[in-house]
Amino acid sequence: MSSAQPSLLERSLVALTLIVLVALPLPVGSNRSWAIGFFTLLIGVAAVLWAIGQWRGVFKESRALKPALPMVLMLLLTQIWVAVQWLGGLTVDVGATMQSLIIGVGYTLLFVLVISLFHTRKRLSLLLGTLVVSGTLQAFYGSFVTLSGLEGMLGSSSSSTSGTFINRNSLAGYLTLTLS
């Protein structure tokens, strides 16, 4: 692309990636099969659109992609190992192994999308700002649910907050990552 203005496809992929990053922790920390399927579907569509854009030369080249190549290769090797276990019958639970493969491929694609799309200072600021807002909203939601007594009504009888996550440790990890 010759102009300095990003294309509609690139802006749409940036928006979709940010939406996915904010929405991932909402359905019990994406700890449900339907949430995993929805996540991988969205990331798969975004990755296909990104690949088409790369092939057609729509995107400006990201300098961050080349240094990240060893990490991408390690992630891919891990997914190949999981696939070998699944295909070779080396697993005790075939369904859980397949689900791990789907999640792993989804997170690998998300990593590639983030590295390739958020390559300018403005985009990185947008990404980090979105994550901080997401963490802040999670903290407010968890505090509200716990302090209002609604958590007991939602099925959890714990005296500590877990927000939209499956347990308090997952929420604490997310808040540490997004608010640090």
Side-chain angles (χ1 to χ4, degrees):
M1 189 169 142
S2 58
S3 69
Q5 200 64 337
S7 69
L8 177 63
L9 176 62
E10 188 173 5
R11 289 192 314 264
S12 299
L13 285 175
V14 166
L16 180 62
T17 304
L18 291 174
I19 289 168
V20 166
L21 286 172
V22 170
L24 265 173
L26 295 180
V28 195
S30 287
N31 198 17
R32 299 289 182 255
S33 295
W34 67 267
I36 293 167
F38 188 64
F39 156 69
T40 53
L41 176 69
L42 284 177
I43 290 300
V45 167
V48 167
L49 291 174
W50 175 80
I52 291 170
Q54 287 289 84
W55 178 60
R56 297 182 85 200
V58 173
F59 305 130
K60 197 167 79 173
E61 187 176 331
S62 172
R63 293 187 325 221
L65 207 50
K66 189 173 181 179
L69 195 58
M71 291 180 277
V72 173
L73 289 176
M74 293 300 288
L75 287 168
L76 288 175
L77 284 174
T78 303
Q79 303 322 310
I80 290 170
W81 173 241
V82 174
V84 165
Q85 292 176 17
W86 178 63
L87 292 171
L90 303 173
T91 179
V92 176
D93 189 348
V94 176
T97 304
M98 182 60 180
Q99 188 175 31
S100 294
L101 179 61
I102 290 169
I103 293 170
V105 169
Y107 279 125
T108 302
L109 293 174
L110 180 61
F111 177 75
V112 170
L113 284 172
V114 167
I115 291 296
S116 65
L117 292 174
F118 297 90
H119 54 82
T120 64
R121 181 174 295 277
K122 183 178 177 182
R123 292 254 178 98
L124 283 173
S125 295
L126 179 65
L127 173 66
L128 294 176
T130 302
L131 291 175
V132 167
V133 167
S134 176
T136 304
L137 291 174
Q138 285 287 333
F140 279 128
Y141 176 77
S143 298
F144 172 75
V145 169
T146 300
L147 295 174
S148 66
L150 291 175
E151 192 161 345
M153 294 173 63
L154 297 174
S156 174
S157 60
S158 174
S159 62
S160 62
T161 187
S162 61
T164 63
F165 288 88
I166 197 77
N167 63 39
R168 66 179 185 223
N169 293 332
S170 299
L171 175 64
Y174 186 75
L175 293 179
T176 301
L177 290 172
T178 57
L179 300 178
S180 295

